[in-house]
Amino acid sequence: MSRFVLITPNADFDTRLRQAVAGGLQGGVQTFLTNVLPAGPYDLFAQLNQERPEVLVLGPDVPVDEALRLAMVLDVQAPDLTVLLVSEPDPEFILQAMRAGVRDILSPSADPDQMRVLLERACQSFANRHRTEPSQQADSGKGTVIGVFSPKGGVGKTTIATNVAVGLGKIAPMSVVIVDLDLQFGDVASGLYLNPVHTVTDAVSPAASQDTLVLKAFLTVHPASIYALCAPVSPVEADFITPEQVTRLLEQLAEEFQYVVVDTAPGLPEIGLAAMEACTDVVWVSAMDIPSVRGLRSGLDILRQLDIMPEGRHVVLNMADPKCGLSVQDVESTLGAPVDVSVPRSRAVAFSTNRGIPVLQEARKDPAVKGLNRLVERFSPAGRAKTPRKIHRRVVV
């Protein structure tokens, strides 16, 4: 079966697309080397003489107006078919194309690796629309929203968040997005070695908040099969983003992705509290020093008083070092809660952070890698079944 159908007179693009599919995707490609498009799904499927494909790629040199017309017809008459359009990614045109039913835009100059990422994403979209069992649909609901928080800065919160996202990307490729809500000084872009064209500022615009397809066009693809929504380029832009916009953004992403990982600013700002209320799980990060531990204890006490405490709570002791004068038991006694995961201090993690390549993106053997993998496992389907859902305060007699 050919999962992919390409219509284009451009033989070079056909070659690159076939290389992309051969590089790691199942199924084949059936190509029509023409710029003449079928009138509708019946004309298209009649030419295939096979099971219906998953993805239709309208390639270079196809008339754009005709491509948008066909996409609109297919969106109504064959909504299960994912349509990709090859075009230069102009923001105004992207909006027009998405509203016509195009699921994604592919650059004419894309190399096979870039193509493969978008084709994987298209296949995932097809799979999500073909969950045939009603019970699966009812159970799936919205995605898991994982907030990574710390009242204190400098505890490695962004390192934890980016590694969790990359680790989850191995469990659910192309179904993970990381959002940088440290709007003034966020480091997710540098932590993932990205130079994003669009940021959170674009993602909370009226067009994106009203149309999820527009929102998805503002996400940045990362090689680890995840998406990223990075912080604004200028700290000034943070002043124009409201808690209500953040709440709406996370709701939209949770409807589209299996996992939404949220990196937040230190402390408990309004944006952070709004994000926390949208989270299903919170990862509390503390370093192994008295200011960090006491800061986290104070933060937890405040949130208990405000009754803002997501059900899933995970305490991570980062940069753990048995020679620093504190023990894990000391930390737990101060927090009034157990430490769920300890991530040892590691040169490998520091080196990976400076390179912009999360340590879980590479096959490394390191105690910190084991700790980070244990944290990721807590969010896998098997791990969630075994993970306690609440932190219980310890009573010291």
Side-chain angles (χ1 to χ4, degrees), residues 31 52 65-66 96 126 141 208 223 332 334 336 390 397:
T31 303
R52 289 168 63 159
D65 291 343
E66 284 296 300
Q96 181 185 2
F126 178 89
E332 292 179 329
T334 302
K390 291 186 178 181
V397 180

Side-chain angles (χ1 to χ4, degrees), residues 310-325:
E311 183 182 3
R313 305 165 206 170
H314 316 264
V315 176
V316 175
L317 185 58
N318 195 28
M319 298 179 283
D321 185 348
K323 299 179 182 179
C324 71

